[in-house]
């Protein structure tokens, strides 16, 4: 009986040890830890899954074997068990990208090699897992506002929901949209925490100070704690004491701190310990962690995003981008061509890929379309989407996807993925989380390409005020001012390259991809009233631009979702994910306005994501968000009317003016006399005119079906033009009547004199 009692007691103690281990699986290897209780606060989370879902990790390997042994004292046994945990957790990163592509500055990229001893193997595995863990998604909004909580807040606009890495404050820094989480009091009992909603292997924390034009607030040191239930907390240790992490030394540059040992838990909390002397407790942050597999977590499975497209989902530096273009060209040599439009300030070629059934050749009647990305070097998502798009078009064309085949054969597509490669290289060096909001934005010379084009708006509006339009100043193809063309002008070489490119190719429609927001902006980008910074300033083609913007936004997975959180301060849902650029913020010399006023091209700015430089693991989801929109927007180049303006002999007339009644903006024919005029469905009175020819007017109907309506013109020469042509044919100049009258008057005066 005594033996049976002892065995029963041993078994009970073993089971108790197993249960204790399950609830404390996130405890580090250090045996001298202290459990820290949270400060009392009211319940804040009422979601049912927080109660019903299991969040404890599975028992460590070998538990059954250990249960057969005589039970040892609890704490030493519990302290050694986590050593076996990482071996099982190695399964978690299999669904994530390898660590070498995490692109964090200072990250170790050496591959994992098996060590001779089990201890070395465990430590190496932990380092490899830590390097593989991506951000949880505070910056990308994958972490919702409901998952962020804080001890106290200064006001609502400085609540926990604003404590996201790189979040930007509004100009007025009002109560709703400020630039950080700020505690209501400055003491050591303040904290901000994240509920991952599932067991997660936390590996690091990135922090920033407060984004503000007027104030300087940042945290200089902090502790990190984790919990499974948000009540019992364990502080990350450094030996036997709590580990103090160094925070920020200014408010904008992100600082990464990696945990000495990955911690497995559901909640993670940042507890500021010191802050800038003249400021207060304010911070923005991102958490690095690997969610552990949990088939019972319905919430996570419902929000998972996968893609079936076999594409190269990674960040590409300049050399890798060039190599990828070459691979696409080799896969689809019959429909692709690589060329460059110039060089950057540092001498990097600005490569573009043309996708068409006849690369390198403008086909009469076939519209030209372009995508531009990377004008701001740190807005990397657009660049990667362009590289993914060219791969996708090539693969789908080879697979005979009818939609892609039709698009490629009926359109000449140009993709310029990196307009500012110099700036990108700076951003790439910093990495996807540590680059901040502006590193690499400008060119090597410090120029913002997006605002570096000539201001043609002012020239047009001043001429309109003097009633000189269209007699002296046309409402289209406005000439570039001479000062802009001089060598001393502050114009980036990349800007000049784009201008030459757009003057050479008769683009009809284009989109420049940017980042940091989720909206499509259409011109004008510059306000007409000099004393205003925001004013709705529509173009004569406002109805067309609205449709073009909506075609992208409405097919994007998130832009028109009224439930989604705003990226920073602006809510664009009132216009379904679109905005007039000038009503957002005025910009003089934008690419959109220049393109509209100097060329035939209708250009829009497409802001493809809140996070300018998302982690590599986010690229498949971002591709799925934007893929349909990218294709739909290209298809809009076939909406409106098209045709050829010819003379009576069938020869195309270049630079003929195409006017639409009621729309105070004209376009011109290309060198072969062909033209494309984007219009919404309806009936239009269209006039074609050219110097030396009699104007011709037609009624052209635009339907709702995709495909531009054919509307050709044949212009007859004027009487004077025919006389000049006959005289030149026989070697004589046509008689100029005013000059002849002056000559006769002079002769009579001499005779009378």
């Amino acid at each position: 009986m005594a033996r049976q009692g002892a065995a029963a007691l041993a078994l009970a103690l073993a089971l108790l040890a197993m249960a204790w281990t399950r609830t404390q699986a996130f405890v580090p290897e250090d045996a001298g830890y202290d459990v820290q209780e949270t400060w009392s606060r009211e319940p804040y989370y009422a979601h049912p899954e927080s109660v019903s879902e299991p969040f404890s990790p599975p028992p460590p390997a070998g538990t059954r074997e250990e249960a057969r042994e005589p039970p040892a004292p609890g704490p030493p046994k519990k302290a050694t068990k986590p050593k076996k945990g990482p071996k099982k957790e190695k399964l978690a990163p299999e669904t994530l990208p390898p660590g070498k592509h995490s692109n964090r500055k200072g990250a170790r990229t050496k591959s994992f090699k098996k060590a001779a001893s089990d201890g070395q193997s465990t430590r190496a595995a932990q380092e490899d897992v830590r390097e593989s863990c991506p951000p949880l998604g505070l910056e990308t909004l994958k972490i919702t506002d409901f998952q962020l909580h804080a001890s106290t807040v200064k006001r609502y606009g400085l609540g926990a929901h604003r404590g996201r890495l790189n979040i930007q404050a509004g100009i007025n820094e009002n109560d709703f949209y400020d630039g950080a989480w700020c505690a209501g009091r400055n003491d050591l009992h303040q904290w901000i925490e994240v509920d991952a909603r599932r067991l997660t292997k936390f590996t690091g924390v990135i922090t920033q100070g407060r984004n503000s034009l007027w104030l300087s607030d940042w945290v200089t040191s902090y502790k990190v704690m984790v919990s499974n239930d948000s009540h019992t907390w364990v502080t990350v240790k450094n030996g036997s004491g709590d580990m103090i992490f160094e925070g920020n030394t200014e408010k904008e540059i992100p600082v990464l701190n990696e945990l000495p040992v990955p911690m497995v838990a559901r909640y993670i909390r940042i507890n500021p310990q010191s802050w800038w002397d003249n400021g207060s407790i304010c911070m923005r942050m991102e958490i690095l962690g690997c969610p552990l597999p949990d088939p019972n977590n319905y919430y996570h499975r419902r929000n998972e995003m996968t893609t079936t497209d076999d594409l190269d989902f990674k960040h590409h530096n300049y050399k890798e981008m060039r190599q990828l273009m070459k691979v696409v060209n080799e896969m689809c040599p019959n429909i692709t061509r690589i060329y460059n439009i110039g060089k950057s300030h540092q001498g990097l070629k600005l490569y573009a890929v043309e996708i068409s059934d006849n690369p390198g050749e403008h086909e009469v009647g076939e519209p030209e379309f372009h995508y531009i990305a990377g004008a701001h070097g740190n807005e990397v998502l657009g660049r990667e989407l362009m590289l993914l798009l060219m791969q996708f078009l090539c693969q789908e064309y080879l697979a005979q996807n009818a939609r892609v085949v039709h698009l490629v054969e009926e359109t000449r597509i140009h993709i310029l993925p990196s307009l500012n490669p110099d700036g990108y290289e700076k951003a790439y060096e910093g990495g996807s989380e540590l680059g901040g909001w502006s590193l690499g934005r400008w060119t090597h010379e410090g120029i913002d390409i997006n605002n570096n084009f000539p201001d043609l708006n002012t020239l047009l509006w001043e001429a309109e005020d003097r009633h000189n339009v269209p007699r002296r100043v046309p409402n289209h193809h406005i000439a570039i001012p001479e000062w802009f063309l001089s060598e001393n002008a502050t114009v980036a070489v990349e800007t000049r390259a784009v201008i030459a490119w757009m003057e050479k190719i008769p683009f009809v429609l284009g989109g420049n991809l940017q980042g940091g927001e989720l909206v499509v902006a259409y011109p004008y980008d510059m306000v007409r009233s000099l004393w205003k910074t925001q004013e709705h300033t529509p173009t004569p083609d406002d109805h067309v631009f609205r449709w073009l913007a909506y075609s992208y936004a409405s097919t994007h997975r998130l832009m028109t979702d009224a439930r989604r959180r705003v990226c920073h301060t602006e809510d664009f849902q009132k216009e379904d994910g679109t905005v007039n650029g000038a009503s957002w913020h005025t910009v003089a010399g934008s690419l959109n306005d220049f393109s509209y006023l100097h060329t035939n091209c209708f250009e829009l700015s497409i802001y493809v994501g809140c996070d300018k430089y998302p982690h590599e693991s986010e690229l498949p989801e971002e591709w799925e968000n934007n893929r349909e929109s990218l294709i739909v927007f290209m298809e809009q180049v076939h909406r409106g009317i098209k045709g050829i303006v010819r003379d009576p002999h069938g020869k195309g007339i270049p630079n003929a003016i195409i006017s639409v009644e009621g729309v105070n903006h004209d376009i011109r024919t290309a060198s072969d006399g062909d033209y494309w005029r984007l219009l919404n469905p309806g009936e239009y009175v269209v006039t074609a005119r050219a110097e030396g020819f009699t104007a011709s007017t037609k009624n052209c109907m635009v339907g709702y079906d995709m495909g531009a309506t054919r509307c050709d013109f044949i212009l007859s020469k004027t009487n004077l033009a025919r006389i000049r042509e006959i005289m030149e044919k026989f070697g004589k100049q046509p008689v100029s009547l005013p000059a002849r009258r002056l000559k006769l008057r002079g002769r009579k005066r001499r005779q009378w004199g």
Side-chain angles (χ1 to χ4, degrees):
M1 292 293 293
R3 290 182 181 179
Q4 291 179 356
L9 177 62
L11 180 59
L13 290 174
L15 292 174
L16 181 62
M18 288 171 58
W20 193 91
T21 303
R22 287 175 62 89
T23 59
Q24 302 293 335
F26 53 82
V27 179
E29 293 183 3
D30 175 31
Y33 68 89
D34 294 317
V35 175
Q36 180 173 349
E37 295 291 335
T38 182
W39 295 283
S40 61
R41 57 189 175 89
E42 296 179 358
Y44 56 79
Y45 201 73
H47 284 262
E49 59 262 32
S50 63
V51 178
S52 61
E53 294 179 2
F55 285 93
S56 296
T63 302
R64 293 182 179 178
E65 288 76 3
E66 292 168 1
R68 297 172 186 169
E69 298 176 0
K77 180 75 70 176
K78 296 161 192 169
T80 57
K81 282 189 178 182
K83 291 184 178 180
K84 296 185 179 182
K87 292 184 179 180
K88 296 195 72 174
E89 291 157 2
K90 277 194 270 183
L91 296 174
E94 289 181 1
T95 58
L96 300 170
K100 66 180 180 179
H101 296 318
S102 64
N103 199 27
R104 297 204 308 272
K105 189 174 182 179
R108 295 176 292 276
T109 58
K110 60 181 180 180
S111 59
F112 169 65
K113 294 182 180 180
K114 209 167 186 180
S117 65
D118 291 340
Q120 290 176 340
S121 175
T122 302
R123 181 172 288 106
Q126 289 174 347
E127 290 182 0
D128 186 63
V129 168
R130 180 168 62 247
E131 295 306 329
S132 301
C133 288
L136 292 187
L138 275 77
E139 184 175 6
T140 61
L141 306 183
K142 183 176 290 186
I143 296 295
T144 68
D145 289 350
F146 297 105
Q147 296 173 258
L148 298 172
H149 308 280
S151 53
T152 60
V153 298
K154 186 168 292 187
R155 62 172 184 267
Y156 177 78
L158 294 169
H161 64 290
R162 302 297 293 177
R164 300 172 181 272
L165 192 71
N166 286 321
I167 202 166
Q168 301 295 293
I171 297 176
N172 299 322
E173 299 188 8
N174 55 40
D175 285 347
F176 294 101
Y177 300 117
D178 221 322
W181 160 69
C182 289
R185 301 184 299 271
N186 290 334
D187 57 46
L188 299 181
H189 301 295
Q190 305 306 309
W191 47 261
I192 180 173
E193 72 178 40
V194 180
D195 176 8
R197 285 183 171 164
R198 62 182 299 179
L199 279 181
T200 302
K201 185 189 297 264
F202 298 115
T203 61
V205 177
I206 302 172
T207 59
Q208 273 177 318
R210 177 180 180 179
N211 176 252
S212 172
L213 295 173
W214 325 109
L215 301 173
S216 296
D217 300 308
W218 60 82
V219 171
T220 56
S221 66
Y222 58 89
K223 293 181 181 180
V224 176
M225 296 177 283
V226 295
S227 172
N228 259 1
D229 57 9
S230 80
H231 295 288
T232 302
W233 293 87
V234 173
T235 305
V236 174
K237 301 293 180 179
N238 183 13
S240 59
D242 294 348
M243 187 168 185
I244 304 296
F245 294 92
E246 292 187 11
N248 300 86
T249 56
E250 60 90 62
K251 57 187 176 183
E252 287 299 335
I253 300 178
V255 174
L256 165 66
N257 279 297
E258 292 182 319
L259 306 186
V261 176
M263 308 285 281
V264 176
R266 169 173 169 171
Y267 302 87
I268 185 168
R269 175 179 287 183
I270 309 302
N271 172 213
Q273 297 296 296
S274 62
W275 44 95
W276 191 51
D277 292 339
N278 297 325
S280 57
I281 298 178
C282 294
M283 65 189 309
R284 294 173 286 169
M285 67 177 185
E286 181 63 86
I287 305 297
L288 306 182
C290 298
L292 299 184
D294 185 0
N296 297 321
N297 192 330
Y298 169 75
Y299 179 87
H300 178 76
R301 287 185 284 111
R302 184 184 61 185
N303 289 275
E304 282 182 336
M305 171 56 63
T306 58
T307 181
T308 58
D309 295 328
D310 184 18
L311 307 175
D312 191 17
F313 294 106
K314 60 167 288 186
H315 288 299
H316 300 79
N317 60 24
Y318 181 78
K319 182 179 179 180
E320 293 168 337
M321 178 190 73
R322 186 174 57 184
Q323 181 62 30
L324 180 60
M325 288 182 171
K326 183 179 179 182
V327 170
V328 172
N329 179 241
E330 291 173 349
M331 286 180 60
C332 299
N334 296 329
I335 62 167
T336 61
R337 177 177 71 99
I338 302 174
Y339 65 100
N340 73 82
I341 68 170
K343 292 184 178 180
S344 69
H345 185 270
Q346 294 289 87
L348 300 179
K349 293 182 178 179
L350 307 178
Y351 285 107
V353 169
E354 176 192 342
I355 302 177
S356 173
D357 56 344
N358 288 297
E361 177 184 348
H362 170 71
E363 298 181 67
V364 177
E366 185 171 294
E368 309 248 4
F369 175 94
H370 74 248
Y371 271 130
I372 300 174
H376 297 147
N378 65 329
E379 293 171 8
V380 177
L381 178 56
R383 167 192 174 111
E384 294 304 328
L385 288 175
M386 292 298 93
L387 297 179
L388 292 169
L389 178 63
M390 62 179 68
Q391 297 175 62
F392 178 79
L393 292 177
C394 172
Q395 290 183 4
E396 294 301 304
Y397 186 86
L398 294 177
Q400 289 299 292
N401 181 321
R403 184 184 184 191
V404 172
V405 170
H406 181 268
L407 183 64
V408 171
E409 292 182 348
E410 299 298 326
T411 318
R412 193 180 180 206
I413 304 167
H414 303 258
I415 299 176
L416 180 64
S418 184
L419 178 55
N420 182 9
D422 297 348
Y424 173 80
E425 292 303 306
K426 292 181 183 179
Y428 186 83
E429 182 181 354
S432 60
E433 282 75 59
L434 301 183
W437 188 252
S438 60
L439 179 65
R441 174 184 176 91
W442 300 280
T443 67
H444 187 77
E445 303 168 281
I447 298 175
D448 186 338
I449 296 177
N450 194 54
N451 309 336
N452 193 224
F453 294 84
D455 173 17
L456 304 181
N457 304 60
T458 302
L459 296 178
L460 174 64
W461 295 335
E462 288 179 351
E464 287 180 346
D465 293 339
R466 294 192 301 265
H467 304 286
N468 289 335
V469 177
R471 289 183 290 114
R472 295 184 181 180
V473 178
N475 62 12
H476 69 293
H477 282 247
I478 301 174
I480 298 175
E482 292 185 5
W483 66 264
F484 188 90
L485 301 175
S486 67
E487 295 182 0
N488 297 328
T490 307
V491 182
V493 293
E494 296 89 347
T495 305
R496 296 189 189 277
V498 170
I499 291 176
W501 184 49
M502 298 183 72
E503 289 178 334
K504 180 180 179 181
I505 300 176
F507 291 118
V508 180
L509 177 62
N512 57 88
L513 273 61
Q514 302 188 45
E517 266 297 350
L518 202 56
V519 67
V520 181
Y522 53 89
Y524 288 122
D525 289 333
M526 181 179 176
V527 297
R528 186 158 187 167
S529 302
L530 297 177
W531 60 91
K532 293 184 178 180
T533 59
Q534 293 177 316
E535 180 186 38
H536 183 71
T537 311
T539 67
D541 284 288
D542 187 61
H543 58 296
V544 178
F545 276 114
R546 285 175 177 271
W547 169 258
L548 293 172
Y550 185 71
S551 70
Y552 194 101
S554 62
T555 49
H556 189 279
R557 291 185 62 252
L558 299 175
M559 277 190 189
T560 55
D561 186 353
R563 298 168 299 175
R564 75 171 182 87
R565 184 195 187 281
V566 299
C567 290
H568 301 282
T569 64
E570 301 286 346
D571 186 359
F572 300 108
Q573 292 307 311
K574 59 184 178 182
E575 293 189 38
D576 294 320
T578 69
V579 66
N580 172 254
S583 66
W584 182 12
H585 55 263
T586 184
V587 172
S590 73
L591 172 58
N592 292 348
D593 291 0
F594 168 80
S595 178
Y596 181 68
L597 295 176
H598 184 68
T599 74
N600 288 340
C601 185
F602 284 36
E603 185 90 17
L604 292 85
S605 293
I606 303 169
Y607 293 80
V608 291
C610 302
D611 188 353
K612 292 183 177 183
Y613 196 159
H615 189 271
E616 215 161 68
S617 60
E618 300 290 336
L619 293 180
E621 181 172 353
E622 293 294 352
W623 168 246
E624 287 295 321
N625 289 342
N626 288 275
R627 178 184 58 189
E628 180 66 16
S629 300
L630 291 169
I631 297 173
V632 167
F633 188 70
M634 286 191 289
E635 292 174 335
Q636 303 312 304
V637 77
H638 296 283
R639 189 173 292 280
I641 61 174
K642 67 177 182 179
I644 303 176
V645 180
R646 298 185 177 93
D647 63 16
H649 303 289
K651 183 180 179 181
I653 302 174
N655 289 320
I657 298 174
I658 306 296
S659 301
V660 178
E661 186 178 283
V663 182
N664 188 27
H665 180 79
D666 303 332
I667 64 166
R668 297 193 181 189
T669 57
S671 57
D672 296 311
D674 47 351
Y675 77 93
W676 307 262
R677 185 44 163 107
L678 296 177
L679 293 168
N680 286 346
E683 185 175 355
Y684 299 92
V685 178
V686 184
T687 300
R689 60 173 61 88
E691 186 178 357
F693 294 86
T694 303
S696 176
T697 300
K698 282 186 176 182
N699 289 336
C700 302
M701 178 69 71
V702 178
Y704 286 89
D705 295 335
M706 185 60 68
T709 302
R710 191 67 181 259
C711 199
D712 296 329
F713 293 89
I714 298 179
L715 303 186
S716 301
K717 295 201 175 202
T718 61
N719 292 335
L720 182 59
R722 284 199 296 269
I723 292 172
R724 184 179 289 112
E725 184 179 354
I726 293 171
M727 298 294 288
E728 288 178 352
K729 184 176 181 180
F730 292 99
K732 297 180 180 181
Q733 295 297 324
V735 177
S736 176
L737 296 180
R740 183 176 178 82
R741 290 195 191 100
L742 290 174
K743 190 174 181 180
L744 291 174
R745 288 176 184 173
R747 185 180 300 173
K748 289 180 180 180
R749 287 173 183 171
R750 286 194 297 271
Q751 291 175 355
W752 292 343

